Structure formats: C-alpha cells, structure tokens
Amino acid sequence: MLKNPILYDYYVRRNHILLSTITGFTYALVFGYSSKMPAYAILTDAILCSFLFYIGAVVIWSIYTFSHFESLNASIHLAVNIGYCVICLILFSGIELLAANIVYPEYISAFISQLVPRIFSLIIIYIAFRWYYLSNQPEKIEESLPDDSNNDCSEPDDHKKIERITVKVGQKIKVIAIENIVFLKAEDDYVSIHTEEGHWLKSETMKKYEACLPQDQFARVHRSYIVNISKISKIERYGQKQLLQLSDGTSIRVSATGYKLLREKLNL
C-alpha cells in the first residue's frame, strides 16, 4: 500500500516542516523587505507561506503518487505537470492575496506590484519540489536494486543471511554494511535503517530483517525496533521499564520480551 511519507514518516515530516518554514520565511522576508512592509506584515506572510508550502507539499505528493500519470505519453505528461503548477500558483497566490487584503490592506498595492516575481519564485519552488519527488520515490527502490535478490531471505526458516542493504538516494545507490547499522525502525510499510551517518527508508518488513540479520549481532527488542547489539552503549532501568542508549545517542524503549531476549544474547 502506497502512503505519503510526509504524513507517515516522522523524519520526513520533520524535515518537510523545517524546509517549509525556512522557505516560507525566506520568501516572505525577501519580498516583504524589498517592498518596505512592516515587521508584523512580513511575519504574518512568513507564517502563512510556511503553512501553505507544507500543506501544498503533502497534497502534491499524494497527487503525484496516486495519479500515476507518468505512464502517459510525454506531451500529455508535460501538460498535466503544467496544469498542476498553474493550479498551485493560483491557489497559493490567491490565498496569500486574500490574507494580505485582510491583514495589511494598506500594502496591497505593493503586494500586487510584486506578483510577477513572486509567481516566478513559486514556479522555481514547484520545479524543485517536482525534482525532489522524482528523486525520492521509495516504492520504486526495489525495481532499481536487482542485486538485493541475491542478498535476501524471504522466509523466516531460510538460513541465508544478508551482509549489506542497498537503498536508493536520489539517482545514486547507497550500500550499507550491516556492521554499520545502529538500529532498524518500523515505519508503516517501510523500514527505516539508521546508521551514525543518517537514516534511509527501505520497502521491506521487520519480519524479514529479523530473520535475515545475524542472530548473534542483532536483536529485536521491540515490535518496532531491531538493534545492533554492538552499538548498545548502556542499558538503563526505570522501574519496570528498560531503555537502551545507542552509540548514535538514540534512546529506545525495550519490551519485556525484547529485554529477555537481549539478556540471553548478552549472557546477563
């Protein structure tokens, strides 16, 4: 099942909120300062633009994902993209213009005089977002990485163990050696693979990695987490709860079953 990662992946959502805020404030500050708008007007525009950029990213990502218009011929594909862009420009500029007319009507003429450069900036932002979407489609990862088929074990009773995990990063392929993995986290239909360099999404199941990763090196300490035992810095206990401190600074709560399994693996 395809899902919008901005909504269902905490890290992607956090990054998009941050990026939308930076883009919104930069956009409002540049045009507000050049037209000598007061601070309250710039701040209002910045907050509104940040919100619109985030909501727009969520909606457009969902449209891209579920419309499947990439299968259309080139001319229709281009026309659909232009149509989406025009609709976004009309909605964004219209909402911003309406807010400007309500909050700071005395500067509406200055706002209108900047409409052309504002629209041009929005087109650039739209193109950048489209490029970002095309470079980050987790549902296409498996098609791009045929070599993983020689490194998989699809059944729990298959004793073949994986030695690396490959993920798509933009137009490149990153190979992650299992010894560099700190932990894996369930993210709906994906698994988030965390190393000390960063984290990446993979269209897989925790059940598969639980079966395929070396049992003496990894432990499933929670239904949502598999940890690399060698990356555990310390185990802390708070009443009936246990927390793992990992080498990258992450704290993970351990279930009762996971704690029992971990004690067996560590001979505690």
Side-chain angles (χ1 to χ4, degrees):
M1 179 180 178
L2 298 177
K3 290 186 177 181
N4 189 328
I6 304 177
L7 294 176
Y8 292 97
D9 184 327
Y10 166 76
Y11 298 98
V12 175
R13 181 169 63 252
R14 180 192 64 186
N15 292 340
H16 272 76
I17 290 175
L18 178 61
L19 185 59
S20 296
T21 302
I22 293 173
T23 305
F25 272 74
T26 302
Y27 172 88
L29 184 61
V30 168
F31 288 107
Y33 183 78
S34 63
S35 61
K36 298 181 180 179
M37 293 170 61
Y40 80 90
I42 296 176
L43 180 61
T44 301
D45 193 30
I47 294 173
L48 175 63
C49 289
S50 299
F51 175 76
L52 291 177
F53 281 136
Y54 178 75
I55 296 300
V58 173
V59 173
I60 295 172
W61 193 292
S62 295
I63 292 174
Y64 286 160
T65 300
F66 296 104
S67 62
H68 301 294
F69 64 86
E70 285 81 0
S71 58
L72 303 174
N73 63 56
S75 58
I76 297 179
H77 181 274
L78 178 60
V80 171
N81 263 303
I82 293 175
Y84 284 158
C85 183
V86 171
I87 292 173
C88 290
L89 291 175
I90 293 174
L91 290 176
F92 191 99
S93 300
I95 294 173
E96 196 178 10
L97 185 60
L98 179 62
N101 190 48
I102 294 174
V103 179
Y104 38 93
E106 65 273 20
Y107 291 94
I108 194 68
S109 58
F111 182 91
I112 294 176
S113 68
Q114 294 180 328
L115 206 52
V116 173
R118 282 176 179 266
I119 290 177
F120 179 77
S121 299
L122 292 174
I123 292 174
I124 298 300
I125 293 171
Y126 179 91
I127 293 173
F129 181 79
R130 176 62 179 166
W131 173 84
Y132 175 78
Y133 170 83
L134 292 174
S135 301
N136 295 272
Q137 298 184 71
E139 67 271 13
K140 293 187 177 181
I141 291 177
E142 298 305 318
E143 299 174 4
S144 307
L145 304 173
D147 291 339
D148 264 358
S149 60
N150 297 323
N151 203 36
D152 280 353
C153 58
S154 57
E155 299 295 333
D157 58 352
D158 189 334
H159 296 293
K160 182 170 58 177
K161 300 302 177 183
I162 59 176
E163 298 176 352
R164 67 189 183 278
I165 298 175
T166 51
V167 293
K168 185 179 179 183
V169 182
Q171 300 302 318
K172 300 179 181 179
I173 293 175
K174 182 174 181 61
V175 179
I176 305 172
I178 60 169
E179 58 266 23
N180 294 330
I181 297 173
V182 178
F183 68 95
L184 298 93
K185 180 183 179 183
E187 297 279 1
D188 293 292
D189 293 336
Y190 303 97
V191 173
S192 182
I193 304 161
H194 293 249
T195 72
E196 293 181 356
E197 296 178 17
H199 71 278
W200 298 268
L201 280 179
K202 181 76 171 179
S203 180
E204 270 299 350
T205 64
M206 292 290 280
K207 182 178 179 181
K208 177 227 170 156
Y209 286 124
E210 182 181 15
C212 298
L213 290 169
Q215 299 297 306
D216 60 342
Q217 189 175 349
F218 289 85
R220 188 165 187 174
V221 298
H222 189 277
R223 64 179 299 177
S224 298
Y225 293 98
I226 296 175
V227 301
N228 186 339
I229 297 174
S230 65
K231 301 294 185 180
I232 298 175
S233 299
K234 61 181 177 179
I235 303 174
E236 299 179 331
R237 183 161 186 160
Y238 298 94
Q240 298 299 316
K241 299 179 182 179
Q242 292 80 30
L243 289 178
L244 294 183
Q245 294 290 337
L246 303 180
S247 59
D248 66 344
T250 303
S251 296
I252 291 178
R253 182 177 175 179
V254 183
S255 67
T257 303
Y259 184 62
K260 181 179 179 181
L261 175 63
L262 191 60
R263 289 189 62 179
E264 293 174 356
K265 290 180 180 290
L266 294 174
N267 296 318
L268 296 176

